[in-house]
Amino acid sequence: MLRRILVPFDGSSLSLKALNIAVDLARHYGSQLTVLYVKVPGETGDPLNLARSAVGKKITNVRYKTIELKENESISSIILKEVVEESYDLIVVGARGKTSYFDLSIGSIPLALAVNSTCSVLIVR
């Protein structure tokens, strides 16, 4: 049922919460978990180090992937392309990333994923 789970990860507290939920699901269902970081040009640091620490040895069927954002692409379009190419069954995503607009209950990326994805999307608050 949930063979492949994708977690878009940016290092925010809600993406960390989404990762923890995805790890639980992957353990329960025996799923392969992929943690995806879409790197924006000029960004420093690697939030996947935080993801690796959070996952630790809880599951072994996990991979970490970084995709560079190119000109004329959006983060959501890269994630959606990844979903189609790799045939994911579920996306687990935080309701907001590192946005400074705290009045928003859901960010543009999770909203775009929920509307346009070919698989189920679990939005974590």
Side-chain angles (χ1 to χ4, degrees), residues 49-63:
N49 291 330
L50 175 61
R52 285 183 187 91
S53 296
V55 172
K57 296 184 191 289
K58 294 176 188 172
I59 58 172
T60 56
N61 198 8
V62 60
R63 67 183 183 140

Side-chain angles (χ1 to χ4, degrees), residues 29-108:
Y29 290 103
S31 311
Q32 178 189 356
L33 179 65
T34 301
V35 184
L36 173 65
Y37 168 52
V38 179
K39 183 174 175 142
V40 176
E43 265 186 344
T44 58
D46 185 1
L48 291 183
N49 291 330
L50 175 61
R52 285 183 187 91
S53 296
V55 172
K57 296 184 191 289
K58 294 176 188 172
I59 58 172
T60 56
N61 198 8
V62 60
R63 67 183 183 140
Y64 302 91
K65 188 172 185 177
T66 300
I67 299 176
E68 296 271 340
L69 183 68
K70 296 181 181 102
E71 197 172 320
N72 298 323
E73 287 183 320
S74 67
I75 293 172
S76 55
S77 69
I78 289 175
I79 297 168
L80 290 166
K81 182 178 176 186
E82 173 76 8
V83 167
V84 170
E85 288 177 356
E86 298 292 330
S87 300
Y88 288 97
D89 301 303
L90 177 67
I91 304 170
V92 182
V93 63
R96 291 183 325 143
K98 293 181 173 182
T99 182
S100 58
Y101 300 110
F102 294 105
D103 334 356
L104 297 177
S105 59
I106 187 167
S108 60

